[in-house]
Amino acid sequence: MSLKDEKITRRGGRSARRTARINAPIVHHPALVPKVPVYEVANAEGVEQIHELAMRIVEEIGVDFRDTESLEFWRRTDAEISGERVRVGRDTLMDLVAKTPSEYVHHGRNPERTVAVGGRSMVVSPSYGPPFILDFEGVRRHATLDDLNNLQKLNHMASSVHIAGGPIVEPVDTPVPHRHLHMAYSAFKYSDKPIIGNVTAGERAEDTVEMCKIVFGDAFATNNCCTTSLINSNSPLVWDATMLDALKVYAANNHAVMCSPFSMAAASTPASNVGTMAVVTAEALMAIAFAQLVRPGSPMLFGVPAMTVALNTGAPVHGSPDSAIVQFLAGQMARRYKVPHRAIANCATSKTPDMQAAYDSMWGLFPSFLAGAQWITMAGGMVEGTLGLSYAKTVIDFEQVDAFYHFCQGCCFDDLDEIFETVKEVGPGGHFLGAAHTRRSNLFIFPSQNNVSWEQWDLDGRKDSAQVGLDKARTWLERYEEPEIDPVLDEALLEFVRKRESEIPARLD
Amino acid sequence: MSLKDEKITRRGGRSARRTARINAPIVHHPALVPKVPVYEVANAEGVEQIHELAMRIVEEIGVDFRDTESLEFWRRTDAEISGERVRVGRDTLMDLVAKTPSEYVHHGRNPERTVAVGGRSMVVSPSYGPPFILDFEGVRRHATLDDLNNLQKLNHMASSVHIAGGPIVEPVDTPVPHRHLHMAYSAFKYSDKPIIGNVTAGERAEDTVEMCKIVFGDAFATNNCCTTSLINSNSPLVWDATMLDALKVYAANNHAVMCSPFSMAAASTPASNVGTMAVVTAEALMAIAFAQLVRPGSPMLFGVPAMTVALNTGAPVHGSPDSAIVQFLAGQMARRYKVPHRAIANCATSKTPDMQAAYDSMWGLFPSFLAGAQWITMAGGMVEGTLGLSYAKTVIDFEQVDAFYHFCQGCCFDDLDEIFETVKEVGPGGHFLGAAHTRRSNLFIFPSQNNVSWEQWDLDGRKDSAQVGLDKARTWLERYEEPEIDPVLDEALLEFVRKRESEIPARLD
């Protein structure tokens, strides 16, 4: 074989390996059961101090429930109600919170994607809510339904993401009153993972449950968790009617809801990690307890986005050491109350998928996984606070989530004797590359991390990771294969969407 | 005042605030004493299993000391020596390791910069060794002495970096036999923080100690830690003559040395986190014990770069979940042996200061700080594995180090009553922006994190964080003020450099 032939063969080999990698079947990891311990920033006394402060807040200051019907629920308890303000004693509050399951099952339309949430089981869900997209041409524009569908596809292919959206982006080209229908359809159509529900109005939550009935059957969908939704309080200490309406619908059907105080330390919560944690604990516990008044045993999650406000600009900031402290504290408080903990993987203040964006995200990723959060939102792509999502960053972030999944497998002590024999065989000055033990290794390599020489990288066009991410997202969309869906079910969902579209005015007057 | 006037005043105000920020005096943080606990990935039994495996390696397989003089030191013990191979019983080894101090003082030429290393005290040191620089024009080229001087200046201004270089970059334009002289001069001249020593030959280590004698006085510099140096083993299980020569010089003078097995899992160590840890524990303990034979009580550090090898390309990879596990384990082993733990903050496989570079770095930063490493190297700038350093990334990374310094201050429980009163005063639906408690807050904001609106960022030229970093590095170099140095001392150092340059041939023949 000539040198030239060899070169061609080698190239063929490399290209063949790349093709094999690209065409490898999609792997769906089960819910993560971490083998590493949780990290805690406060000691037991600190946790009790935060609890005590939160209890003083609910007992002495109270929380506003800005919805007449919701106040009626509170009147069934010994809470003290004054206008919209609800003050409740800790015994009543804790009795209600105790009814929330510490672990529950969230069903996917494909039973193989159904996951346990809570206990030792951790799941990851996609990004949520950004109205802007950094698209394949590098343009920032309003996101569309096509973008949402694309992102459902990418999300479906992400090994360590267990949940479908939800508004991975807001499909801004779809009329608000119809958006929830297309959102649920997009999730059911392009993925078979468990889905996120809509919370922008009570009747939209009801429509979402109706669509679950089509997929899962009436009795099942009204008694089992078929969606998980996200409601935000208006921190400090206010729950508004829209969020409460959605909460009532989902709780009544036994679907799960994440209570997420919209905490921005220094603005909506105190400029203190402990103070923020106490206020959001008060808010979250009140919503969790409220859900138990609607339906005892309805699954709820405890968590907090933990932003801070930059006092120089007044802007909310994602990704900071203060937020990280709060995320760790939230895990400790959630464990104290035996409610599954929801954390936020990935929100970047940066406007573009750059170095700062990754640093910002890591201040969420590490605390989410090390806090042992049982539900980790915002798996990938967030930029510009909560306003933008980048295709490029989405797929690069997914690799980080895979890396944390790997990290959480922890240490391996199963092969100590084989390791000793291998070290002995290799001996001082040898190498392990050819060892049988090495060939079976599963060391983690980031697929998009460029580990060739600088010269090779230069020859290959000096792509930075934003470009690599865009290429990968494009390739993934080409490779995407729709999960099987019964055509009858598909048509029934579409028919429901069409019917409701015809019933609901496209504009709000 | 007209609207226009107000606008001008506001602009003036913003610009004035920015100028004030830029001209703020340099803050030098003391050594970090963390108020957060360490994170451990293995339980006590796991630590003992790794110890046991390491002991089997030193007893049954042994470690090569490829230096006749070093073998003579081992002959004073009951070690079994066969050729270059040293096998030593665990009792002898542990008795020697126990002589290493768990805490020591590293002196800076300015006593205010002197730091404790070990115990609860953590210090951060700059990057080490890259021959290439990504310069201010975005060009990758060989680093020069000017670059090293620039980086000493930037490093001197970094609040949370306690140590001066060392070869922050390799000054490739300086002849190798003279490089150590200029390296030590650069550190002493442009910073007054404690310095890193040279290890490329025994006589170069001696020259470095000679320069310490000029700075600190003969008796002081031969009995107190005035440099910390870094020696790498040739994993697996080999210490070579060059590294041992340098170690002997520094240990003899009571200067500190970091023993850093050059572990690349799957190549130079087993493809296993536990296996890698056992091999590098064996290597590091042997060097630490050896130093105690040279001079009992000489300070040593235990740590490991914890790379992995990408089996698809054979390239070493920095920044991975496997490395993170090993870094956490290294902290646990160091605590077991009561030797200060040295970890690696920041090595990126990426070629350029992009998203991946930041992700890679965070896989070192979080484990370094959460492992409670008492010496954290590679504070900023690394790209391209250990080969390149980016000015832009250097200053962005310094902000991350500041953020970890802040994170390690942990939770604040001092002001619970004030927080309660503030929450009560603000009440549901209010805000904390104007509260007295908020005005005293110290929430962390990354100076280079852009938190303005997208529109403002667009108007400002859409700078990504690599560009922001370059601008900041330039501004810092303009702002830099040389720390005071006695002109007599400065001239004495320069004279020594000139003398040795005249004595040592610039080329090795």
Side-chain angles (χ1 to χ4, degrees):
Chain A
M1 192 163 74
S2 76
L3 259 179
K4 199 180 156 196
D5 286 343
E6 201 190 341
K7 208 164 179 180
I8 289 167
T9 312
R10 271 213 212 131
R11 276 198 185 160
R14 188 195 286 167
S15 151
R17 278 196 301 277
R18 188 180 297 144
T19 309
R21 251 195 333 269
I22 287 172
N23 293 329
I26 298 173
V27 176
H28 295 290
H29 289 157
L32 172 61
V33 179
K35 297 189 186 108
V36 294
V38 295
Y39 180 70
E40 308 204 316
V41 288
N43 58 20
E45 188 197 344
V47 169
E48 288 316 300
Q49 285 179 289
I50 294 171
H51 171 68
E52 179 61 30
L53 186 52
M55 292 304 106
R56 286 184 70 192
I57 291 170
V58 293
E59 288 176 338
E60 298 176 41
I61 301 171
V63 173
D64 281 5
F65 278 71
R66 299 189 171 167
D67 169 51
T68 313
E69 193 189 39
S70 297
L71 291 168
E72 290 307 312
F73 278 102
W74 279 114
R75 280 187 229 283
R76 298 180 200 166
T77 72
D78 61 359
E80 181 196 323
I81 297 164
S82 156
E84 295 166 327
R85 184 73 46 89
V86 180
R87 292 183 181 83
V88 60
R90 64 187 70 193
D91 292 344
T92 299
L93 184 65
M94 287 297 108
D95 284 352
L96 286 167
V97 168
K99 295 182 199 291
T100 312
S102 60
E103 191 172 348
Y104 65 92
V105 172
H106 186 177
H107 296 271
R109 72 168 169 91
N110 177 351
E112 285 179 27
R113 307 278 166 269
T114 292
V115 285
V117 180
R120 287 290 285 164
S121 179
M122 294 167 67
V123 303
V124 175
S125 72
S127 288
Y128 190 102
F132 293 102
I133 186 115
L134 290 184
D135 71 13
F136 284 104
E137 281 68 47
V139 175
R140 176 191 184 259
R141 55 169 173 75
H142 278 111
T144 66
L145 187 56
D146 278 348
D147 291 315
L148 177 59
N149 293 342
N150 279 340
L151 289 159
Q152 293 285 14
K153 292 174 186 177
L154 295 175
N155 185 72
H156 178 67
M157 297 169 81
S159 300
S160 307
V161 181
H162 306 94
I163 308 293
I168 307 177
V169 286
E170 278 290 330
V172 177
D173 58 343
T174 311
V176 170
H178 298 165
R179 205 174 279 174
H180 63 293
L181 303 164
H182 295 279
M183 222 174 72
Y185 179 75
S186 177
F188 279 133
K189 173 76 171 173
Y190 298 110
S191 185
D192 58 4
K193 298 177 179 179
I195 78 160
I196 300 286
N198 182 285
V199 296
T200 56
E203 59 271 25
R204 295 178 197 150
E206 278 163 10
D207 280 342
T208 308
V209 174
E210 287 303 313
M211 291 175 79
C212 289
K213 289 184 190 169
I214 296 170
V215 173
F216 296 96
D218 284 18
F220 193 91
T222 50
N223 290 295
N224 295 280
C225 174
C226 302
T227 67
T228 295
S229 298
L230 171 64
I231 61 167
N232 291 124
S233 58
N234 295 344
S235 302
L237 306 173
V238 177
W239 288 100
D240 72 23
T242 306
M243 294 286 120
L244 290 169
D245 279 351
L247 172 55
K248 281 179 280 186
V249 172
Y250 289 118
N253 290 285
N254 223 21
H255 291 204
V257 176
M258 318 180 213
C259 300
S260 187
F262 203 70
S263 74
M264 297 187 290
S268 68
T269 59
S272 145
N273 43 38
V274 164
T276 289
M277 197 63 237
V279 169
V280 301
T281 297
E283 293 173 2
L285 291 181
M286 287 296 281
I288 290 166
F290 173 77
Q292 308 313 307
L293 292 171
V294 177
R295 177 166 176 161
S298 59
M300 299 288 288
L301 296 109
F302 180 106
V304 56
M307 290 163 276
T308 57
V309 158
L311 289 175
N312 57 336
T313 59
V317 165
H318 294 263
S320 88
D322 297 297
S323 308
I325 293 277
V326 175
Q327 296 246 31
F328 282 120
L329 283 177
Q332 295 187 251
M333 300 313 293
R335 281 188 289 282
R336 189 200 182 285
Y337 302 121
K338 299 188 173 59
V339 178
H341 171 213
R342 170 260 178 156
I344 291 187
N346 173 342
C347 275
T349 301
S350 192
K351 307 292 176 290
T352 187
D354 62 357
M355 195 166 33
Q356 187 74 44
Y359 276 134
D360 292 351
S361 293
M362 271 300 217
W363 280 101
L365 277 157
F366 249 103
S368 295
F369 283 89
L370 263 63
Q374 291 110 333
W375 185 294
I376 298 175
T377 54
M378 308 291 190
M382 299 294 279
V383 288
E384 203 192 318
T386 49
L387 293 179
L389 187 130
S390 148
Y391 276 114
K393 186 164 180 284
T394 296
V395 291
I396 298 293
D397 290 351
F398 286 163
E399 296 183 7
Q400 294 296 320
V401 175
D402 287 337
F404 279 97
Y405 196 97
H406 182 90
F407 175 86
C408 289
Q409 308 308 313
C411 304
C412 177
F413 288 98
D414 297 342
D415 50 357
L416 297 184
D417 287 332
E418 190 189 355
I419 289 171
F420 179 78
E421 292 307 324
T422 305
V423 174
K424 196 171 173 180
E425 196 181 307
V426 166
H431 72 76
F432 293 82
L433 283 169
H437 181 264
T438 302
R439 287 196 300 273
R440 284 197 313 280
S441 84
N442 75 336
L443 295 174
F444 187 88
I445 299 296
F446 291 99
S448 295
Q449 184 192 54
N450 189 298
N451 61 36
V452 300
S453 67
W454 192 90
E455 289 72 17
Q456 185 63 50
W457 179 73
D458 185 35
L459 278 172
D460 290 344
R462 296 193 183 198
K463 284 185 183 167
D464 70 10
S465 73
Q467 291 169 283
V468 171
L470 272 191
D471 291 348
K472 177 169 181 169
R474 267 194 214 96
T475 310
W476 270 31
L477 286 177
E478 285 162 18
R479 275 188 62 201
Y480 169 78
E481 286 175 25
E482 218 170 275
E484 241 177 88
I485 187 164
D486 179 346
V488 177
L489 169 61
D490 191 13
E491 182 48 37
L493 287 169
L494 280 173
E495 197 187 315
F496 181 83
V497 171
R498 285 190 295 262
K499 175 175 148 286
R500 293 295 289 149
E501 279 195 313
S502 72
E503 291 166 358
I504 310 170
R507 283 177 185 241
L508 300 167
D509 295 312
Chain B
M1 191 162 73
S2 76
L3 259 180
K4 199 179 155 196
D5 286 344
E6 201 190 341
K7 208 163 178 182
I8 289 167
T9 311
R10 270 213 213 130
R11 278 199 183 158
R14 188 196 287 168
S15 151
R17 278 197 302 276
R18 187 179 300 146
T19 308
R21 251 195 333 269
I22 288 173
N23 292 328
I26 299 174
V27 176
H28 296 289
H29 288 158
L32 172 61
V33 179
K35 297 189 185 109
V36 294
V38 295
Y39 180 70
E40 307 204 316
V41 289
N43 59 20
E45 189 198 344
V47 170
E48 288 317 301
Q49 286 179 288
I50 294 171
H51 171 67
E52 179 60 31
L53 186 52
M55 292 303 106
R56 286 183 69 193
I57 291 171
V58 293
E59 289 176 338
E60 298 176 42
I61 300 172
V63 173
D64 281 5
F65 279 72
R66 298 191 172 167
D67 171 52
T68 313
E69 192 189 38
S70 297
L71 291 168
E72 289 307 312
F73 278 102
W74 279 114
R75 279 188 228 284
R76 299 179 200 166
T77 73
D78 61 359
E80 181 197 323
I81 298 163
S82 155
E84 294 166 327
R85 185 73 45 89
V86 180
R87 292 182 181 84
V88 60
R90 63 186 72 193
D91 293 345
T92 298
L93 183 66
M94 287 298 110
D95 284 351
L96 286 168
V97 168
K99 295 182 200 290
T100 312
S102 59
E103 189 171 349
Y104 65 91
V105 173
H106 185 177
H107 296 272
R109 73 169 169 90
N110 178 350
E112 285 179 28
R113 308 278 167 266
T114 293
V115 286
V117 179
R120 287 290 286 164
S121 178
M122 294 167 66
V123 302
V124 175
S125 73
S127 289
Y128 190 101
F132 294 102
I133 186 117
L134 290 184
D135 70 13
F136 284 104
E137 281 68 47
V139 175
R140 175 190 184 262
R141 56 169 172 74
H142 278 109
T144 65
L145 187 56
D146 278 347
D147 292 314
L148 176 59
N149 294 342
N150 280 339
L151 289 159
Q152 293 285 13
K153 293 174 185 176
L154 295 175
N155 184 73
H156 178 67
M157 297 169 82
S159 300
S160 307
V161 181
H162 306 92
I163 308 293
I168 307 177
V169 287
E170 278 290 329
V172 178
D173 59 343
T174 312
V176 171
H178 298 164
R179 206 175 277 175
H180 63 292
L181 303 164
H182 294 279
M183 224 175 70
Y185 180 75
S186 177
F188 280 133
K189 173 78 172 174
Y190 298 109
S191 186
D192 57 5
K193 297 176 178 179
I195 77 161
I196 299 286
N198 182 284
V199 295
T200 56
E203 60 272 24
R204 294 178 197 151
E206 278 163 11
D207 280 343
T208 308
V209 174
E210 287 304 312
M211 290 174 80
C212 289
K213 289 184 189 170
I214 295 170
V215 173
F216 296 96
D218 285 17
F220 193 91
T222 51
N223 290 294
N224 295 281
C225 174
C226 303
T227 67
T228 295
S229 298
L230 170 64
I231 60 167
N232 290 125
S233 58
N234 295 345
S235 301
L237 306 173
V238 176
W239 287 100
D240 72 21
T242 305
M243 294 287 121
L244 291 169
D245 278 351
L247 173 55
K248 281 179 281 185
V249 171
Y250 289 118
N253 289 285
N254 222 21
H255 291 204
V257 176
M258 317 181 213
C259 300
S260 188
F262 203 68
S263 74
M264 297 187 289
S268 68
T269 59
S272 145
N273 43 38
V274 163
T276 289
M277 197 64 236
V279 169
V280 300
T281 298
E283 293 172 1
L285 291 181
M286 287 296 280
I288 290 167
F290 173 77
Q292 307 313 307
L293 292 171
V294 177
R295 176 166 176 162
S298 58
M300 300 287 289
L301 295 109
F302 180 105
V304 56
M307 290 163 275
T308 57
V309 159
L311 290 174
N312 58 336
T313 59
V317 164
H318 294 264
S320 89
D322 297 296
S323 309
I325 294 277
V326 176
Q327 296 246 30
F328 282 121
L329 284 177
Q332 295 188 251
M333 300 313 293
R335 281 189 289 282
R336 189 202 183 284
Y337 302 121
K338 300 187 173 60
V339 177
H341 171 213
R342 171 259 178 155
I344 290 187
N346 172 342
C347 275
T349 301
S350 191
K351 307 293 177 289
T352 186
D354 62 358
M355 196 164 35
Q356 187 73 45
Y359 275 135
D360 293 350
S361 293
M362 270 301 216
W363 281 102
L365 277 158
F366 250 103
S368 295
F369 282 90
L370 264 62
Q374 291 111 331
W375 185 294
I376 298 175
T377 53
M378 307 292 190
M382 298 295 279
V383 288
E384 205 192 316
T386 48
L387 293 179
L389 188 131
S390 148
Y391 276 114
K393 186 163 181 286
T394 297
V395 290
I396 298 293
D397 290 350
F398 286 163
E399 295 183 7
Q400 293 297 321
V401 176
D402 287 338
F404 278 96
Y405 196 97
H406 182 90
F407 174 87
C408 289
Q409 307 308 312
C411 304
C412 177
F413 288 98
D414 297 342
D415 49 357
L416 297 184
D417 288 332
E418 190 189 356
I419 289 171
F420 179 78
E421 291 308 323
T422 306
V423 173
K424 195 170 175 182
E425 196 181 308
V426 166
H431 71 77
F432 294 82
L433 283 168
H437 180 264
T438 302
R439 288 196 299 274
R440 284 198 313 281
S441 84
N442 75 336
L443 295 175
F444 187 89
I445 298 296
F446 290 100
S448 295
Q449 184 193 52
N450 190 298
N451 61 36
V452 300
S453 67
W454 192 90
E455 288 72 18
Q456 185 63 49
W457 179 73
D458 185 35
L459 278 173
D460 291 346
R462 297 193 183 197
K463 285 186 183 168
D464 71 10
S465 73
Q467 291 170 284
V468 171
L470 272 191
D471 291 348
K472 177 169 180 171
R474 266 194 214 98
T475 311
W476 271 31
L477 286 177
E478 285 163 17
R479 275 186 63 201
Y480 168 79
E481 287 175 24
E482 218 170 276
E484 241 177 88
I485 186 166
D486 179 346
V488 177
L489 168 62
D490 191 14
E491 183 48 38
L493 286 168
L494 279 172
E495 197 187 313
F496 181 81
V497 171
R498 284 192 296 263
K499 175 175 147 289
R500 291 295 289 148
E501 279 196 313
S502 73
E503 290 166 358
I504 310 169
R507 284 178 185 240
L508 300 167
D509 295 311

